[in-house]
Amino acid sequence: MAQLPQINSVKAPDRAVTQATRTRRFPWLNLPFAIVVTLLVCYGLVIVYSAVLNDPDYKFSRQLMGVAVGAVAMVLVWQFDYRRLSDYTTLFLIVNVVLILSPHLPIIGVNTMGATSWINIGMQIQPGEFAKVTVILLDASIMARYGGRLDDPREYLKALGLMLVPFVCIMTQPDLGTGLVYLFIGAVALVVGGARPKYLLITLAAGIAAVAAVFAIDEVIKNSSGEYKLLKQYQRNRLLVFLYPDLDPNGESYNLRQAQIAIGSGGLFGKGLLQGTQHSLGILPEAPTDFIFCVLAEELGFFGVLVLLSLYASLVLISFRIAAAASDLFGMTIVMCVVGMWLFQILENIGMDCGLMPITGIPLPFMSYGSSFMMVNFIMVGMIGSVWTHNMASKR
């Protein structure tokens, strides 16, 4: 019997093979991560445009410049192999000190609203923002030395002391909001790096005691000299407003009350884009920066807030997966510190707008106005992308 001609069957490409091919073709790209970041940036630009439209003190072009420069920096950092930086602890410490103390230099230092946090080098930038990058690299490099286990109390104190250096420097400006971000980054690094829970609890208790001591000593100084020395008056007022929201409705509580009015007036779907009144009429101060969440809530309502929170949740979950896939402690700590920083800023910013947290001036990631802040967020994205890319490359 004559044999029938054989027909070569073509199998559908296996999904794993297709993904591997795509990874080889675009080894630098984590598509879900890139999409979420892009959506967040675009969302932020729309809200910032509305917030600054009728405010002559802010320029939307400056925000666009921050995005453009940040995007270039992100690509460069993404391509760079982060593993080359794991042994430069001393260098990161020096860079942190120089960056954070640079606003104190004559000529270039700029004092704004009682804080020396900016430098003018043809354009004003905030070195403390950029120091967040080196703080993360410093803390990650410190903890990488212990291989995920930090049991010796002397070594723990040594690591903790190094991590506190940037905080001490930033408080000379003073910038309590950024200082709190540094502290939270350090706390995440210690947890991820394997510090004993007992040491962490003792450190937390010591921190609370130190805060109480600062307030007590400042009261003694006030009684003898007539003014506070350790904490600025506005810093104390922010804490009092948080504890007693109705203390001074037309004074220190004004910002909080207007923020809550803006959020509540948005309702389910908001007043409409560019239709917000609290910021456009100048009733809500610092709307493009500290209170950008209020602008979003007023104009796009609960639905707009839900979209933002969904994007943040996606960003955090994807970043967690990247951290879990890291093959080294240094890379995992970098990603977790970035995620921890974002989470702290999100919770603090939204919380202070709602009256659930003290007002600290901490901006909202990818949303608040500020070219320095936007560039730093892009660099953070590049750092996470670098961890993903170079771990995927080593597994191929």
Side-chain angles (χ1 to χ4, degrees):
M1 180 181 294
Q3 293 183 347
L4 295 174
Q6 294 182 348
I7 300 176
N8 294 327
S9 60
V10 180
K11 294 183 179 180
D14 183 71
R15 289 185 65 183
V17 175
T18 304
Q19 180 64 34
T21 303
R22 188 181 296 115
T23 302
R24 284 194 298 270
R25 193 174 299 171
F26 304 104
W28 54 273
L29 183 63
N30 183 313
L31 191 58
F33 185 61
I35 290 175
V36 170
V37 171
T38 302
L39 291 175
L40 266 173
V41 172
C42 293
Y43 200 26
L45 286 175
V46 171
I47 303 303
V48 166
Y49 176 77
S50 177
V52 305
L53 185 60
N54 298 311
D55 194 332
D57 294 332
Y58 299 93
K59 295 181 180 180
F60 185 65
S61 59
R62 184 176 177 84
Q63 189 76 351
L64 290 176
M65 182 193 70
V67 171
V69 176
V72 173
M74 177 194 70
V75 173
L76 295 176
V77 173
W78 197 315
Q79 295 290 330
F80 184 81
D81 190 347
Y82 72 95
R83 292 170 294 190
R84 299 180 183 178
L85 302 175
S86 61
D87 296 326
Y88 291 95
T89 305
T90 303
L91 176 62
F92 294 140
L93 183 63
I94 295 172
V95 171
N96 272 314
V97 173
V98 172
L99 270 177
I100 299 171
L101 295 182
S102 61
H104 294 295
L105 294 174
I107 301 176
I108 65 172
V110 178
N111 187 293
T112 304
M113 299 177 65
T116 310
S117 304
W118 298 79
I119 61 174
N120 192 334
I121 50 175
M123 60 177 293
Q124 285 196 11
I125 63 173
Q126 193 172 3
E129 280 295 325
F130 290 97
K132 291 176 182 176
V133 176
T134 47
V135 166
I136 289 176
L137 293 173
L138 170 68
D139 294 353
S141 64
I142 290 172
M143 298 311 298
R145 296 173 177 268
Y146 299 103
R149 189 176 182 86
L150 182 52
D151 292 330
D152 189 296
R154 290 173 298 181
E155 290 298 320
Y156 176 80
L157 290 175
K158 177 182 175 182
L160 182 64
L162 291 174
M163 291 181 182
L164 286 175
V165 170
F167 174 76
V168 173
C169 291
I170 200 71
M171 290 308 296
T172 64
Q173 295 185 1
D175 187 348
L176 180 59
T178 304
L180 291 175
V181 174
Y182 293 170
L183 290 180
F184 198 80
I185 290 171
V188 172
L190 288 169
V191 172
V192 175
R196 292 186 64 180
K198 180 175 71 173
Y199 299 158
L200 297 174
L201 290 175
I202 293 174
T203 303
L204 178 61
I208 294 174
V211 172
V214 166
F215 277 93
I217 294 172
D218 223 11
E219 284 295 336
V220 174
I221 295 174
K222 172 68 163 56
N223 293 333
S224 61
S225 66
E227 61 178 341
Y228 295 110
K229 297 291 186 179
L230 300 181
L231 288 175
K232 299 290 186 180
Q233 184 63 54
Y234 74 89
Q235 293 173 329
R236 303 180 67 91
N237 291 342
R238 286 176 174 180
L239 181 60
L240 289 174
V241 167
F242 170 66
L243 296 175
Y244 309 102
D246 298 322
L247 183 65
D248 186 8
N250 297 318
E252 298 299 338
S253 301
Y254 177 81
N255 291 4
L256 175 59
R257 295 179 70 86
Q258 296 306 320
Q260 293 174 328
I261 291 171
I263 294 172
S265 65
L268 189 59
F269 295 105
K271 298 177 180 177
L273 196 63
L274 306 179
Q275 301 302 313
T277 55
Q278 289 294 105
H279 67 88
S280 62
L281 297 177
I283 301 174
L284 178 66
E286 306 298 334
T289 52
D290 297 353
F291 297 102
I292 191 68
F293 176 78
C294 302
V295 177
L296 184 151
E298 182 183 16
E299 297 191 347
L300 301 183
F302 177 76
F303 178 77
V305 170
L306 190 61
V307 170
L308 177 65
L309 296 180
S310 298
L311 289 173
Y312 278 144
S314 300
L315 179 70
V316 170
L317 290 175
I318 294 171
S319 299
F320 277 153
R321 294 186 62 183
I322 294 174
S327 58
D328 63 308
L329 182 60
F330 181 60
M332 182 175 68
T333 306
I334 287 176
V335 178
M336 292 304 296
C337 284
V338 173
V339 174
M341 183 196 73
W342 282 338
L343 280 174
F344 178 73
Q345 291 177 324
I346 291 167
L347 293 175
E348 169 59 28
N349 183 277
I350 296 177
M352 75 179 189
D353 291 351
C354 299
L356 301 176
M357 300 287 281
I359 296 177
T360 58
I362 291 177
L364 191 60
F366 301 101
M367 301 296 292
S368 291
Y369 178 91
S371 55
S372 297
F373 181 63
M374 186 60 72
M375 285 187 277
V376 168
N377 279 299
F378 270 107
I379 293 173
M380 299 295 186
V381 170
M383 291 166 66
I384 294 178
S386 176
V387 173
W388 181 86
T389 294
H390 293 94
N391 277 279
M392 292 302 102
S394 63
K395 295 177 181 178
R396 289 200 300 270

